[in-house]
Amino acid sequence: MIVTDVRLTVVGMPRQTGFISKHAIVELATDEGITGIGEMSDFSHLPQYSIDVRDLTGVLKKILVGQNPFDISLINRELLSHFPETMFYYEKGNFIRNGVDAALHDLCAKSLGISVADFIGGRLKDKIKVCYPIFRHRFMEEVEENLAVVRERFRQGFDVFRLYVGKNLDADEAFLDGVRREFGSQVTIKSLDFSHLLDWKSAVQATKRLSQYNFQLIESPAVQNDFEGLRNFRMKVDHPISEHVWSFRQQYEMIRHDSIDIFNISPIFIGGITSARKAAAAAEVAGKGCLIGTTQELSIGTAAMAHLGSSLVNLNFTSDPTGPELYVGDIAKQPVKYENGYLLVPDRNLPGLGMELDWEQIEKYKVDDLSWGSVSVHQLQDRTSQTAK
């Protein structure tokens, strides 16, 4: 079996907040009539430059056409030479490699008639506990809006939430107080996510203020790649510390500095299932826990994370992939499912990722390119409405 064609289709999917996230659907066609699908998720983020889809398609065709899709390690090495790691959280080269790698896994597993989870070693679990994100407060009036989100999602079965913090601590505190008064122990705050917005000293002060409320861990409480700062923060607080993995050098430095307790591993940020498995193995060797992170993918990307997470022996914290719940639509005929706060891993009897593209929906949300015009930095950071001030 060889790859005969590469197709990229861009969709602009609105979030419930009104923000439009652009995703590139990857299709790898073969001489045996089998097509693998993947997702380059959520390009609408910092840094604020876009990828030319026609140019990217041409580059990927040169790399992939004529290749045996089972040569996943070889192809990933070639992809890395074209789209290298840059030690930046939202590096778009990682997004590109992730979409291709997912499509390769889907293609190979389909050709064998097995699921991706079985292709990468078999599943340990059929569902993954996840949390629903509460986006960052900038104004006090957003507190009640976010409490309403908790009420609605709790009614739907989500009982764990992740809170983005650090822009308005008065509002953060008011929200946490409201959750405690209204829900008590029925609702768990998984983490305070600082998203690298504060230096570690400022994050320590913010954490001290918010520590009167119950939460399980703290995420990204220092600027990017400040490994000593992460360790300093870790030594001054009682909660476990989590950080995303966006390059292997960065992960090495976090291990060397003993900066964190939990690695937040997501295929989108490290460049695919192949790289995510390596990062999880490195975490296991270092004696660290893992959770599956997210940029808020559609169902194709979320299914890839579900298969990955189901196979990890050290996935021991509540994970983040709830992207399909944040959008007004999807591009899969049978989107991934959630039940009582768990992401269900696609049925083992479905080959590949267990997803089928819905071309009616794709045509509905299809756009020409990955650019998004004039959007403010805080909208890109917090995924707020593109008309918001």
Side-chain angles (χ1 to χ4, degrees), residues 45-47 88-93 95 224 246 269 295 381:
H45 217 303
L46 296 170
F88 184 74
Y89 181 24
Y90 296 109
E91 167 51 43
K92 292 173 181 178
F95 291 23
Q224 290 188 35
W246 52 77
F269 293 126
T295 185
Q381 290 174 332

Side-chain angles (χ1 to χ4, degrees), residues 20-323:
I20 296 175
S21 290
K22 293 190 176 181
H23 315 260
I25 303 163
V26 182
E27 295 177 274
L28 302 183
T30 67
D31 60 341
E32 295 188 7
I34 304 171
T35 299
I37 59 175
E39 179 184 306
M40 300 176 185
S41 311
D42 200 8
F43 274 95
S44 305
H45 217 303
L46 296 170
Q48 197 167 354
Y49 59 79
S50 59
I51 306 296
D52 184 292
V53 179
R54 290 175 295 277
D55 181 65
L56 177 59
T57 302
V59 171
L60 292 178
K61 284 183 177 182
K62 289 181 180 179
I63 297 171
L64 295 167
V65 170
Q67 296 282 356
N68 181 338
F70 280 93
D71 290 335
I72 293 177
S73 295
L74 180 66
I75 293 171
N76 267 277
R77 187 174 66 183
E78 181 71 8
L79 289 169
L80 189 61
S81 69
H82 287 77
F83 309 105
E85 294 181 345
T86 63
M87 294 279 284
F88 184 74
Y89 181 24
Y90 296 109
E91 167 51 43
K92 292 173 181 178
N94 291 347
F95 291 23
I96 292 167
R97 290 187 286 113
N98 171 61
V100 174
D101 188 64
L104 289 170
H105 279 79
D106 182 59
L107 179 54
C108 292
K110 281 177 177 174
S111 74
L112 298 173
I114 61 176
S115 73
V116 166
D118 289 330
F119 179 62
I120 61 177
R123 63 184 68 196
L124 298 170
K125 53 181 74 71
D126 292 316
K127 59 183 181 179
I128 298 169
K129 186 65 176 177
V130 294
C131 62
Y132 193 87
I134 301 298
F135 293 105
R136 189 168 287 106
H137 300 96
R138 290 178 179 270
F139 308 102
M140 284 298 294
E141 54 263 38
E142 293 172 324
V143 172
E144 183 51 45
E145 296 174 8
N146 279 334
L147 288 172
V149 172
V150 175
R151 293 185 196 105
E152 176 62 16
R153 293 300 176 172
F154 182 70
R155 185 186 65 79
Q156 296 172 359
F158 291 96
D159 59 354
V160 183
F161 295 84
R162 173 167 57 105
L163 177 63
Y164 289 89
V165 297
K167 278 294 183 181
N168 187 327
L169 291 178
D170 290 337
D172 295 337
E173 186 170 355
F175 172 81
L176 290 168
D177 186 66
V179 170
R180 182 169 64 184
R181 285 187 289 103
E182 185 169 345
F183 296 96
S185 60
Q186 296 180 92
V187 161
T188 299
I189 301 298
K190 186 202 80 169
S191 61
L192 305 183
D193 189 343
F194 286 97
S195 303
H196 317 112
L197 293 181
L198 302 181
D199 64 83
W200 73 267
K201 291 182 180 179
S202 299
V204 167
Q205 295 303 313
T207 299
K208 287 181 178 179
R209 176 174 175 179
L210 299 177
S211 286
Q212 61 181 300
Y213 303 99
N214 291 326
F215 53 89
Q216 295 178 334
L217 57 101
I218 301 166
E219 300 190 70
S220 305
V223 298
Q224 290 188 35
N225 300 319
D226 181 6
F227 311 114
E228 291 185 2
L230 273 175
R231 175 169 172 77
N232 290 337
F233 181 93
R234 182 173 178 240
M235 294 298 101
K236 290 184 176 293
V237 301
D238 295 328
H239 291 82
I241 309 305
S242 170
E243 183 55 281
H244 303 76
V245 180
W246 52 77
S247 83
F248 289 115
R249 178 53 189 262
Q250 175 237 7
Q251 185 179 28
Y252 163 77
E253 292 292 348
M254 288 191 288
I255 292 172
R256 186 169 75 89
H257 286 84
D258 200 18
S259 298
I260 57 104
D261 304 285
I262 306 157
F263 283 110
N264 182 320
I265 296 173
S266 177
I268 188 70
F269 293 126
I270 191 60
I273 294 172
T274 299
S275 293
R277 292 179 66 205
K278 291 179 183 178
E284 183 181 2
V285 171
K288 305 293 185 180
C290 287
L291 62 86
I292 300 293
T294 184
T295 185
Q296 311 306 351
E297 296 78 356
L298 299 172
S299 277
I300 305 301
T302 305
M305 292 190 290
H307 284 280
L308 169 68
S310 75
S311 70
L312 296 182
V313 297
N314 57 336
L315 181 64
N316 42 22
F317 290 89
T318 300
S319 293
D320 299 337
T322 52

